[in-house]
Structure formats: C-alpha cells, structure tokens
Amino acid sequence: MMGTKFLQWDLVPIPLMQFKKVNVRRLQRWLLKLASAILMEPLYMGLRRRLGEPFTRRLQMEQSKERTYFTQERKKRKKRTSSERTVVFESLQLGSTFHRPELVRNCLEQSLKKLKFDYLDLFIIHIPVSLKPGPDLSPMDENGKLIFDIVDLRQTWEAMEACKDAGLVKSIGVSNFNRRQLEMILNKPGLKYKPVLNQVECHPYLNQSKLLAFCKSKDILLEAYCALGSQRDKMWIDQSTPVLLEDPVLGAIAKKYNRSPALVALRYQLQRGIVVLFKSFTRKRIEENFQVFDFQLSEEDMKTIDGLNKNLRYLSLIQLVDHPQFPFKDE
Ligand SMILES: NC(=O)c1ccc[n+]([C@@H]2O[C@H](COP(=O)([O-])OP(=O)(O)OC[C@H]3O[C@@H](n4cnc5c(N)ncnc54)[C@H](OP(=O)(O)O)[C@@H]3O)[C@@H](O)[C@H]2O)c1
C-alpha cells in the first residue's frame, strides 16, 4: 500500500506518566532523578558488574530517546484526524514479562490508553521467552541475570485471541518463533486464529529460507527485522560481525542497478514475499528506502544474493540462551 506508514512501538507498555502542568513535570523529573539515585543505582549494580558501566549508561540513553519520541508522537497524535488514522498501520509487541494470560489484555489496554487509540492493527508476542512479571521490563537477580518465568505460550495465545475478539486489535501474530514454536500454536486444540505473521531477523546473511518456506506453506507472513543488518548497537550486536551493507557482492549488484546496497537488501526481501521493516532516523534515507518499489532484481541477482547466506544472526539474544523456550537453537 503506497503512502502507508508502518509504526512499531518498541516499549510495551509505555512507561510514561501524564502530567498536565509543566511545573509538576519538572518536579516529577527531579523526584525521578532522586529516586533513581537512591533506589535504582543498587539495582543496576549486578548488571554493571556483568556488562560494565557503558551498558547501563547506554540503556538509560536509549530509554530516554524512546521516551522523547513517544512524547513527540503523542503531541502530534492529538492533531491527527480519524481519516489519517486509517493510513497508519500501528503495531505493538507484547513484552516477555506479560506472557501470563491474565496480564495480556491489561498490558494492551494500558498501551492503547497511552497511545490514545481504540484499537491496534497488529499485536505480536515479542519473543517466546517469558520473564518474571512485574514493573521491571528486564527483571534481574543480584548477579545481573535475567529472571525467567515459565508460561505455556498456548495460553498466552488464547489471551491474544480474546483481545482480537474484544476488538482491541485487528490482527495477532508472533515474533522470533522457530518452526517448532509456530507448530505448537498451530496445533493447539481449539485454535481460533492462527498467527498472521512471524517477525524474525532476516537479511542476506540470514535468509531464513527454511522458515520462510514453512511460513508460506501455512499462509503465515514472514516479516524481516534487521533487514539492513541492524543498527549495530554495541549493547546488543557483536561488533566483530561483518557489516551487511559493506558486502562487496551486494555493493556490485547495487552499482549495476544504480541503487544503494540498502535498497538492494530491502528489494531482495520484497521479491521473496517477505514484509520488510526498515528503520532510519535520517529523513533522506527514509525517503530513499521507499524507492524499494521502483525497481526489480533479476532472478540471477536474487540467486547471487541467496548465496550470501551464512546463517549469521546479529541479534543472538545471548542473555536468554539458558531459557527452555529460547528460540534460536533450532530453525
Ligand atoms: N521483533 C524483534 O525482536 C525485533 C528486533 C530488532 C528490531 N526489530 C524491529 O525492526 C525494526 C528495524 O530495526 P533494526 O534494528 O532491525 O534495524 P535495520 O532496519 O536493519 O537497520 C537500521 C540501520 O540502518 C541504517 N539505515 C537505514 N536506511 C539506510 C540506508 N538507506 N542506507 C544506509 N543505512 C541505512 C539506519 O541508520 P540511520 O538511522 O542513521 O539512518 C540504522 O542504523 C525496528 O523498528 C524494530 O522495531 C524487532
């Protein structure tokens, strides 16, 4: 759909409080700083010990960047007309601390309230790994280790189905599910709605051809994230991994079509029947990326890009590897 914007909110639920007067907001900021100095520092100690100071500082910076973005979006939203709402595809992820079925609807309703929406277009389970419920989105023990929870994701899925039945979401899906985990949902007795899509890491270095074939056979869309090789954030990505957009083969193909390697990487996914997410904070690049609809890669070039696959996962989520539901041990 040309001209449609796809927005994905990365924090669930949005940890923002609403205050009407500026002076109250200032007071809130000051109190938060004080509270964080007194309470949060000891809580982060374990994390610091494990991952080092830069991780914590980076995490705080990321959270404040997200908060600023949400505040700006909420301000704009007040001015949006209902007809504009129809051309924006809004999707949201269910965080790992909300997998218990009794928490799902409440999590969604809180987010809808803060976004000032009546419904969402898409609601997905972010990752099939459950974490301890509570106010902390990344609950950690005193050693800085994430605290796991065990939830039957079929029950989580039933709660997602109930959200759809209640008209709070148009479609429901999953993310980071492997084939076995998708089958677990698809084979659930009494399944009402199957996932419309599975959002997974997918790019020329991890082309997910087997998972793609399986999803197609079940009429589930595969949606690619890290399609441009990720933002290479030091907090999550091993910096020694090769930079996708610097790949010489991708570069040569890009030159041939007089396009950028980024556009070739995006176009590759579209031609495979994949929904592709691309993120940029740069206006020029956002505009450039929409040229993905303006050209076509030949079959031969598609095959050449297929040949770049090395099953390289940028976002390995190593912190979750010990969880019994960890998805990346099989395809
Ligand atoms: N479900 C999950 O577990 C999961 C995990 C990760 C991400 N995601 C989603 O995936 C979406 C995409 O993010 P991502 O992290 O996967 O990143 P990505 O789209 O692979 O890459 C984004 C990076 O590419 C750069 N870029 C964008 N357009 C470019 C162009 N034309 N030429 C050169 N560089 C370009 C951006 O830089 P500039 O900003 O400087 O332009 C940014 O650093 C996010 O919105 C996120 O919600 C989901």
Side-chain angles (χ1 to χ4, degrees), residues 94-240:
L94 177 77
S96 288
T97 53
F98 297 91
H99 282 181
R100 293 192 182 183
E102 65 275 18
L103 302 178
V104 173
R105 181 167 175 158
N106 189 263
C107 165
L108 174 60
E109 282 176 336
Q110 272 186 56
S111 300
L112 284 172
K113 196 170 156 204
K114 285 170 181 164
L115 287 164
K116 301 183 190 298
F117 286 162
D118 299 327
Y119 70 91
L120 280 178
D121 295 291
L122 178 67
F123 189 36
I124 58 179
I125 300 178
H126 184 194
I127 184 163
V129 171
S130 314
L131 295 178
K132 185 188 159 215
D136 192 349
L137 299 178
S138 302
M140 294 197 189
D141 65 17
E142 63 284 359
N143 299 315
K145 210 171 161 4
L146 284 164
I147 308 172
F148 298 152
D149 192 19
I150 301 295
V151 178
D152 182 345
L153 291 171
R154 288 169 296 190
Q155 291 179 2
T156 313
W157 187 253
E158 283 170 12
M160 301 277 288
E161 290 179 324
C163 291
K164 178 171 157 61
D165 281 340
L168 300 173
V169 288
K170 294 219 163 174
S171 301
I172 49 177
V174 296
S175 175
N176 296 304
F177 274 45
N178 61 32
R179 176 184 171 142
R180 185 180 43 80
Q181 290 164 329
L182 282 173
E183 280 173 331
M184 175 185 72
I185 302 288
L186 294 173
N187 298 334
K188 187 187 86 63
L191 180 76
K192 210 164 179 187
Y193 309 113
K194 64 180 183 185
V196 292
L197 64 74
N198 186 19
Q199 186 184 107
V200 294
E201 176 173 337
C202 186
H203 44 75
Y205 288 166
L206 178 71
N207 71 21
Q208 301 274 22
S209 56
K210 283 190 193 160
L211 190 61
L212 176 62
F214 175 73
C215 286
K216 282 187 175 172
S217 75
K218 300 291 175 193
D219 203 18
I220 295 172
L221 276 173
L222 195 135
E223 185 176 37
Y225 71 76
C226 289
L228 297 171
S230 87
Q231 298 168 77
R232 299 194 64 84
D233 190 320
K234 284 188 187 129
M235 191 163 82
W236 308 111
I237 313 287
D238 175 357
Q239 297 298 298
S240 68

Side-chain angles (χ1 to χ4, degrees), residues 251-297:
I253 295 176
K255 210 167 174 189
K256 192 165 131 189
Y257 289 86
N258 202 16
R259 309 277 169 174
S260 64
L263 272 176
V264 172
L266 297 177
R267 182 71 209 180
Y268 169 67
Q269 304 293 19
L270 275 194
Q271 284 184 220
R272 302 168 78 212
I274 288 177
V275 176
V276 60
L277 282 172
F278 44 88
K279 184 168 191 165
S280 173
F281 289 104
T282 321
R283 188 182 181 93
K284 196 169 158 276
R285 283 177 172 168
I286 294 170
E287 284 167 1
E288 182 203 327
N289 291 346
F290 277 100
Q291 290 171 21
V292 69
F293 303 107
D294 302 346
F295 72 109
Q296 176 114 17
L297 295 167

Side-chain angles (χ1 to χ4, degrees), residues 31-141:
L31 283 171
L32 271 175
K33 266 189 201 159
L34 188 68
S36 86
I38 297 167
L39 299 169
M40 298 308 283
E41 286 299 306
L43 287 180
Y44 277 122
M45 285 309 280
L47 185 64
R48 284 216 178 109
R49 264 202 302 278
R50 197 173 157 86
L51 295 160
E53 184 83 16
F55 177 89
T56 316
R57 225 180 298 129
R58 191 61 216 259
L59 190 71
Q60 285 163 346
M61 271 166 58
E62 284 291 319
Q63 285 172 346
S64 111
K65 210 162 75 179
E66 297 268 7
R67 266 196 288 272
T68 312
Y69 181 66
F70 272 119
T71 312
Q72 286 165 353
E73 277 299 313
R74 285 209 340 268
K75 278 183 190 153
K76 278 188 232 157
R77 205 166 296 285
K78 279 181 197 151
K79 294 175 199 151
R80 276 187 193 156
T81 65
S82 55
S83 64
E84 278 173 319
R85 170 69 180 87
T86 59
V87 295
V88 177
F89 189 94
E90 307 274 359
S91 105
L92 197 76
Q93 299 164 339
L94 177 77
S96 288
T97 53
F98 297 91
H99 282 181
R100 293 192 182 183
E102 65 275 18
L103 302 178
V104 173
R105 181 167 175 158
N106 189 263
C107 165
L108 174 60
E109 282 176 336
Q110 272 186 56
S111 300
L112 284 172
K113 196 170 156 204
K114 285 170 181 164
L115 287 164
K116 301 183 190 298
F117 286 162
D118 299 327
Y119 70 91
L120 280 178
D121 295 291
L122 178 67
F123 189 36
I124 58 179
I125 300 178
H126 184 194
I127 184 163
V129 171
S130 314
L131 295 178
K132 185 188 159 215
D136 192 349
L137 299 178
S138 302
M140 294 197 189
D141 65 17

